[in-house]
Amino acid sequence: MIRPGKRLAAGRGKRTAALMSLPVLPLAWFVALQEHPPWMAAAYLAYLLIVIVVPGTMFWRRLTGGAGWRSADVILGTAFGLAVEALLYPLGMLFEMPFAALLMPALALGMLRGLPRRKLPERPTPWWSMAGAMVAVGVAAAWFVRVGSQLVPLDGSDALRPNSDTPHNLALAGEVTHHFPPKIPYADGGWLTSHWAAYEHIASTHWITSVPLDVLTHRMVPFAWILLTVLGAAAVGMLLTGRAVAAPIAAGLVVAGGDLVAWPWAVSDRVFADGPFSLGGLTSPSQAFSTVLLLPLIAVTASLLRRRAGTTRAELFRLFVAAGVLVAALALTKATTLPVYATGLAVAWIYLTVRRGRLNLRALVLGVGVAAAYTLTFFVVLRGAASSVRFDPGATFESLADRMGGGSAVAVIAVVVVVGWAMPVVGALLIRRRVARDPMVVFLVAGFVAAVLGASLLADRGDTQLFFVRTGFVFGVLLATWGLGSLERRQYWVAGIAIAIGVAAIYWGRYRSPKSCTTANCFGQGLAVALVIAVLGIGVFGLVLRGSRRTWAVIAVAVLVGTTVSPTVASVRRFANPPLTSYESIAPGGIEAARFIRRNSGSNDRIATNVHCHQPRASHCQTGSYWIAGYAERRVLVEGWAYRARVDDSYPAGVQGPYWNQDELRLNDEVFSNPSRQLIETLRTTYGVQWLLLDERVSAPPKNLDKLTELRFQLGTIRVYQIYPPPPENPFPTRTPSPTGTPTPGFPTQTPGSPSSTPGSPSTSFPTGTQFPGQTQPTQPSPTGPLPTSTTPTFPTTPVPTQITTTPGLNSP
């Protein structure tokens, strides 16, 4: 018999062991971001804790009643806090209050005081469960140090050779930081017809912490969302299964899992690493953020559809409020997420309605809310812009066949790829809980099938239909977690050995393929080898154990799940080097020049440039240049316009079509070839251009450009000019007394250089000390004396000062 004292001591020891694993999170955070000054990592972490984690957890627990584990509530509450921030930030920007997120602690405190308190049922999280999840966090941090942080260089010569995605994301982050509603920052300022909620967290963090936008966009925020995906899947796995063992299983599958890829050419392709540890996940903030928001939405959906006994109407209303916040944030984040969720919800609603013989109102209300959010987003955010995604069954697999050098094996490729995508679903075979008692199994399976169908039946020029599969990855992980989490304690060592067999099988298939596959038509050979080894492993291991049918099922499912572990691990080897271009898409000195404009301009200033092509002077102009708008955080009149499908659907001629306003483009380019005072004034007054950025690799600077403007910066191949208003014809007029003793209208009432007391007078049009190209201040007469009328003032040859005028606006830190 165990004494109470010993039992209490054992419980304290387990809690101590669990708490000792928690420092893995901050340690992993600072280690993964060691290339940056420590204050940046500390500032973001402080912002996340004070503004997001604590208020979000309070919101989550008060609205949903909790998940049953405090650790799960903290994780899901953090994701819910991000959703609240995504809805609060645009409201603040409408009233020029970019620090609106700082209101979240006060709002959470008000909700805590306003809603009635209730005791939430909680279970302690076992130390081994928390420690297992922290192991996955450590692996994620190691992966980020080894691979993730190397994919997007921020400094040095490599930073000048990114693909178009990196500066495009930075340009959108800069636009959301300084303007709302957002417009296209790199082409004419038209309305931004894409989902921008993911960039709001970046913008809000930048305002409050002063961490640079490029560090947030390409380092801190992606890593934070990876960690939240790992821990969020662990929390939802615990909620679905009701067992703490699901936490390390789900976290491990997110880190090591993927799809079934056994041919060598696909290992290094970004298309097939569909988890958060892929290049696509790192270069698409909207996809990464949508995964973070989807996990708490699945948790709320489970609470609603499972019909917990004793739920009051007030508690049900709060659940719908929580679901509404998450649905609204998701609608603003990614177009491929809500359709997958809605399909699973619709199938679950049909199933519940048919099984119980009456209309299921909870699922119906959720479905109506999703439809309303999607419709509102389409007309308000996307402004009714038609999508370029089309119904074209098999186009995804045809493009893969083209990469292999021929289209004769499309059917085989389709079968192999779909089988690989669907492999995690086999985990549902081990779920012990009867489907009739839990509609969440139907929801997850239907959502996963919808994701695979979306990627198989739809097509887009940029292969954006594959983001359906990236959304379905979470559904597959949860199904596999649910199945493996349903095992009995003595069966886990069997499952562990079986998973190792699956890992060995897929690695052997990969290892043999490069040596034996010498033609484009033998891409399935590695997969065949892996499956043969997997089947032999299942048979031999099953015969050795001589177990029951349940044991055979555990072995088979675990082996098949183990075959999906290799893509992430292989990406550590294949993606260690960044996918850079062979040419410098960013001009030498361009980043410094753009940052110079950012420091010396207002947020409403606009730039004109001669840079349009991703590769300068290329035979085919890839009009995908966005780096000026990204690093300057200012709108550019015409820079690039290739992202028609993802950003500005108003361009009807296609991704690489001509610019829609040829007159504007001709005016923009003429200032860099044949400038004139009238042309520059048209740019300044009609289009609001205050800066000119010229890349000498595109065209040589005109001889008279520095006479009409002021050269403010020069480095590498970049020149930056500033446009000033033209000086008055007679800036220092003779004062003529009027008969009534009042100043003559239109003339200053004080001496030149002194502040004017009459609003709107010429002397108030330009700040004191501001000079224009070719103009200097006189040395005579004295500021206190009258201006002589018989002598012409002399002008010393002093250099133009560096003081400039800027357009008022929100200035970021």
Side-chain angles (χ1 to χ4, degrees), residues 398 489 644-645:
E398 290 176 1
R489 182 176 299 180
R644 180 187 67 85

Side-chain angles (χ1 to χ4, degrees), residues 2 36 104 177 195 207 232-233 272 341 352 361 400 438 491 577 592 624 711 741 753:
I2 302 177
H36 306 290
M104 288 179 58
T177 299
H195 299 79
W207 277 109
F272 291 92
Y341 171 82
L352 289 172
L361 293 179
L400 297 179
D438 199 331
Q491 293 176 328
N577 297 319
E592 293 81 359
L711 178 64

Side-chain angles (χ1 to χ4, degrees), residues 1-2 19 55 103-104 170 245 262 280 295 317 347 351 353 406 472 527 567 576 585-586 597 662 724 750 806:
M1 181 177 179
I2 302 177
L19 292 175
L103 297 175
M104 288 179 58
L170 189 59
V245 71
L295 289 166
F317 176 76
V347 174
Y351 169 76
T353 300
L527 177 62
S585 58
I586 299 178
I597 296 177
Q662 287 296 309
Y724 291 98
Q750 299 186 30
T806 61

Side-chain angles (χ1 to χ4, degrees), residues 105-264:
L107 293 176
L109 184 60
M111 175 175 285
L112 185 66
R113 298 291 299 272
L115 293 180
R117 297 184 180 183
R118 52 177 173 165
K119 187 176 182 180
L120 302 178
E122 292 182 359
R123 285 173 285 180
T125 305
W127 69 270
W128 47 266
S129 176
M130 189 174 295
M134 291 301 106
V135 169
V137 167
V139 173
W143 179 90
F144 194 81
V145 171
R146 173 69 176 87
V147 181
S149 62
Q150 308 299 319
L151 294 178
V152 181
L154 297 183
D155 300 304
S157 59
D158 287 345
L160 303 179
R161 297 189 290 122
N163 57 20
S164 60
D165 286 337
T166 299
H168 178 258
N169 291 328
L170 189 59
L172 295 187
E175 173 66 15
V176 175
T177 299
H178 297 287
H179 302 97
F180 195 86
K183 294 185 177 182
I184 302 171
Y186 43 78
D188 84 3
W191 294 111
L192 184 64
T193 56
S194 69
H195 299 79
W196 33 256
Y199 302 97
E200 294 176 351
H201 175 65
I202 298 173
S204 179
T205 307
H206 174 63
W207 277 109
I208 295 174
T209 66
S210 300
V211 177
L213 272 185
D214 56 343
V215 176
L216 289 171
T217 306
H218 305 311
R219 289 292 188 274
M220 293 187 179
V221 172
F223 182 52
W225 287 345
I226 286 176
L227 295 182
L228 281 176
T229 301
V230 173
L231 297 176
V236 177
M238 294 170 67
L239 186 144
L240 291 176
T241 62
R243 303 181 66 182
V245 71
I249 294 175
L253 288 177
V254 171
V255 170
D259 51 14
L260 183 60
V261 181
W263 48 95

Side-chain angles (χ1 to χ4, degrees), residues 8-24:
L8 181 61
R12 290 177 178 175
K14 293 178 180 180
R15 286 194 295 269
T16 302
L19 292 175
M20 289 180 63
S21 64
L22 289 180
V24 173

